[in-house]
Amino acid sequence: MRLYNTLTRGEEPFAPSADNTVRMYTCGLTVYARGHIGNFRTFVCLDVLRRTLKYLCGYRVRQVMNFTDVDDRTINGAQKAGMDLRAYTDQYIAAFREDMRALGLEEIEEMPRATDEPNLRAMANMVAALERNGHTYRSDGSIYFKISTMPGYGKLARLDHQGMKPGARVDSDNYAKEDARDFVLWKGPREGEPSWEFADAGVPAGRPGWHIECSAMALRLLGEAPIDVHAGGIDLVFPHHENEIAQSEGATGKPFSRFWVHVEYLIVDEQKMSKSLGNTYTIPDVVAKGFRPSAVRYLLLSAHYRKQLNFTWESLGSAEKALQRLTDCLARLDLVTAPGSHPNLAPQIARAREAFAAALRDDLNTAAALGAVFELVSAVNAAIDTGDVGLDDVAAIREAFDDVDRVLGVLSLRRVEDECPPVPVDEIERFIEERHAARRRRDFAAADRIRDDLAARGVLLEDSPTGTRWKRK
Ligand code: AMP
Ligand code: ZN
């Protein structure tokens, strides 16, 4: 497979370095809010990368995706909510797991929290190693990374060395690119902030900076540097990933990651979808508008991951329609009864499979891969229209769709959605009863309200002489 590597700014052939196993680290969610579909663009694309490596390339994958549950934003959020940090972040971790399932993301081998004791200890040990190797200094109770001690600093972000400010310290986790500075590794204790001490490692009371969390968890859980892939959204290139490289390489003396993969933004009206701009939608927001998570997954895969993708409700509607074209085609196959096969279809199926795999092996070109799937859909629909399809073809077509979907993960998700409606069945039945009661007392406004509320939640009611039935929108 060929994969674009941000480190070299070029596509390179990719294979894991050892054991046929890809060791991949993904920067996960900062759990101070429910993840939005911009965050999930990154996670869905990386899920398809993971599936491509497994099912198309035949590698094993060992992936780590963390939860950033201690940093400036989580601490501020917990303080504002008047909650304990762990309890505060717990709620967003639970929501993330729910959304992950709703979007059909595969189970990830390790999803560590930064504040788990073994992880904090690994961070403290890394800080201690950096101190031993002469990459740090202490000031006001905090420990800083001294970027002038790393000649290669800036190699990922291609920083202009004029813009670097060695000796100028920065305590916040994030800052502007023009302003590369010595960054904090371990922050001294502050009023109202959690604090940990690792006296045996020589690390005083305090808490980790954001960047050290990922460096330490990646190497603790994936083993020796270099790992194979380090991934995240494009905004993480600087300062986060640049600083992760400085820390990991400063501590181990070895390159940190062979490949760096970055997913471009989901945007809204030319701006990044982000909580600070107030233009975000979560999965529950999308579901409340009557859309299904499978349509979101499809939409997020409809563009190449290195191109920006503009989110609109119309584009989500189009994704839903495209997905329905796929499921309609599969449903039509149920009606085929003729035995045998027709000579035209087998080569078309083979061509579609090849084009699909080639597109994904070409730097994960999901847009072209979907194009190959839809060429097959058109060919199958045409064959059904003219009666040129037999039961043997049907089996081969279904197998092709199953294989394709192992990577795309949209059809299987759709099936799961069909099996469990967006509103629990007993709740739907109770609403149907209440609506009948409202009609009996001629309160049609109340009856319509119940129907509209259910429709907004993705359930349609259909009245017939024999009673009321419901179906998914
Ligand atoms: P955060 O919770 O801010 O640390 O972000 C979690 C992940 O989502 C990171 O990999 C970000 O780069 C990514 N991300 C945030 N906003 C967007 C967006 N609008 N489009 C794509 N990825 C994003
Ligand atoms: Zn990270």
Side-chain angles (χ1 to χ4, degrees):
M1 147 156 223
R2 294 182 68 76
L3 203 51
Y4 184 86
N5 188 350
T6 308
L7 192 60
T8 58
R9 301 288 192 277
E11 268 182 31
E12 295 170 39
F14 174 81
S17 63
D19 301 333
N20 212 37
T21 303
V22 179
R23 292 181 301 140
M24 172 155 102
Y25 187 88
T26 309
C27 289
L29 194 71
T30 305
V31 278
Y32 75 117
R34 190 172 195 129
H36 54 74
I37 58 173
N39 299 130
F40 280 106
R41 178 179 190 201
T42 290
F43 303 134
V44 166
C45 287
L46 296 176
D47 178 64
V48 170
L49 173 60
R50 172 193 165 87
R51 289 165 177 253
T52 299
L53 293 167
K54 278 171 72 173
Y55 306 120
L56 283 182
C57 302
Y59 302 130
R60 282 192 294 266
V61 172
R62 177 166 170 77
Q63 187 181 359
V64 176
M65 181 162 85
N66 72 300
F67 289 111
T68 300
D69 66 350
V70 55
D71 79 322
D72 298 350
R73 289 185 287 178
T74 43
I75 291 173
N76 282 341
Q79 280 173 348
K80 282 205 186 102
M83 287 172 82
D84 167 67
L85 180 65
R86 188 91 180 181
Y88 176 75
T89 54
D90 272 346
Q91 20 171 15
Y92 301 116
I93 290 177
F96 183 81
R97 290 187 186 279
E98 221 175 86
D99 294 342
M100 222 181 140
R101 264 193 304 279
L103 284 168
L105 299 186
E106 274 198 345
E107 282 283 313
I108 289 175
E109 287 68 25
E110 297 274 1
M111 294 184 65
R113 296 174 72 145
T115 60
D116 284 340
E117 213 274 340
N119 295 327
L120 288 164
R121 175 162 290 281
M123 294 164 208
N125 287 340
M126 188 173 263
V127 172
L130 288 170
E131 289 211 297
R132 275 197 306 280
N133 295 347
H135 292 299
T136 66
Y137 56 89
R138 295 191 179 203
S139 179
D140 300 335
S142 295
I143 305 176
Y144 295 87
F145 189 98
K146 191 173 179 181
I147 58 176
S148 62
T149 63
M150 286 296 280
Y153 188 87
K155 66 183 171 192
L156 179 71
R158 306 260 164 124
L159 293 184
D160 163 13
H161 281 249
Q162 300 291 322
M164 290 194 197
K165 294 186 183 164
R169 288 187 281 120
V170 61
D171 284 299
S172 82
D173 286 327
N174 221 332
Y175 46 94
K177 174 167 176 159
E178 299 70 46
D179 228 20
R181 295 177 186 198
D182 293 345
F183 57 91
V184 71
L185 294 165
W186 195 260
K187 296 193 190 195
R190 307 249 163 84
E191 181 70 31
E193 293 200 355
S195 161
W196 296 272
E197 185 175 356
F198 292 90
D200 51 347
V203 173
R207 53 112 170 164
W210 171 34
H211 314 302
I212 197 81
E213 299 180 14
C214 288
S215 288
M217 286 188 279
L219 294 180
R220 179 173 102 75
L221 293 161
L222 291 173
E224 287 265 299
I227 61 171
D228 293 306
V229 182
H230 196 308
I234 190 80
D235 53 334
L236 298 188
V237 173
F238 187 85
H240 187 51
H241 288 165
E242 192 66 56
N243 291 351
E244 277 195 52
I245 291 177
Q247 297 164 150
S248 306
E249 302 193 352
T252 66
K254 293 182 194 156
F256 181 30
S257 179
R258 298 169 52 232
F259 279 74
W260 288 85
V261 172
H262 292 103
V263 178
E264 256 296 351
Y265 291 144
L266 184 70
I267 57 170
V268 185
D269 299 331
E270 305 306 318
Q271 283 186 304
K272 175 190 176 192
M273 182 179 283
S274 84
K275 193 154 179 284
S276 55
L277 293 171
N279 60 0
T280 60
Y281 299 104
T282 63
I283 291 296
D285 292 339
V286 168
V287 169
K289 285 250 188 190
F291 289 99
R292 293 167 64 159
S294 54
V296 177
R297 182 172 173 107
Y298 183 97
L299 176 68
L300 296 178
L301 295 179
S302 62
H304 189 270
Y305 76 94
R306 288 201 296 116
K307 295 206 173 98
Q308 291 192 342
L309 173 60
N310 189 39
F311 175 79
T312 61
W313 293 107
E314 289 72 39
S315 63
L316 188 53
S318 306
E320 170 61 29
K321 285 211 186 75
L323 204 39
Q324 279 176 20
R325 253 192 95 206
L326 262 176
T327 51
D328 286 350
C329 175
L330 282 170
R332 289 185 79 193
L333 293 174
D334 287 340
L335 306 176
V336 173
T337 52
S341 64
H342 284 260
N344 283 351
L345 272 172
Q348 280 171 319
I349 297 169
R351 256 203 316 278
R353 278 174 172 279
E354 266 164 41
F356 178 81
L360 289 171
R361 284 168 190 273
D362 177 15
D363 193 28
L364 209 70
N365 192 342
T366 48
L370 286 172
V373 172
F374 276 97
E375 268 189 32
L376 183 60
V377 168
S378 301
V380 169
N381 278 333
I384 295 174
D385 290 343
T386 53
D388 292 329
V389 54
L391 285 171
D392 291 347
D393 297 318
V394 169
I397 295 163
R398 287 199 184 287
E399 199 183 309
F401 277 112
D402 282 348
D403 284 349
V404 156
D405 196 57
R406 248 190 282 286
V407 177
L408 294 178
V410 285
L411 293 171
S412 50
L413 183 58
R414 198 81 177 171
R415 261 176 242 129
V416 172
E417 287 172 350
D418 285 339
E419 280 159 17
C420 44
V423 181
V425 174
D426 51 348
E427 207 179 315
I428 299 176
E429 279 164 3
R430 204 174 61 241
F431 280 127
I432 290 177
E433 228 5 87
E434 280 176 20
R435 182 163 163 267
H436 281 312
R439 289 177 139 194
R440 278 195 297 273
R441 57 173 198 272
R442 309 194 68 73
D443 185 353
F444 297 113
D448 287 350
R449 212 162 36 241
I450 291 170
R451 188 197 54 206
D452 295 346
D453 286 351
L454 275 175
R457 294 171 67 188
V459 174
L460 293 181
L461 298 185
E462 281 179 344
D463 297 314
S464 75
T466 55
T468 301
R469 292 189 326 159
W470 63 267
K471 66 173 193 184
R472 284 199 69 117
K473 197 165 165 182

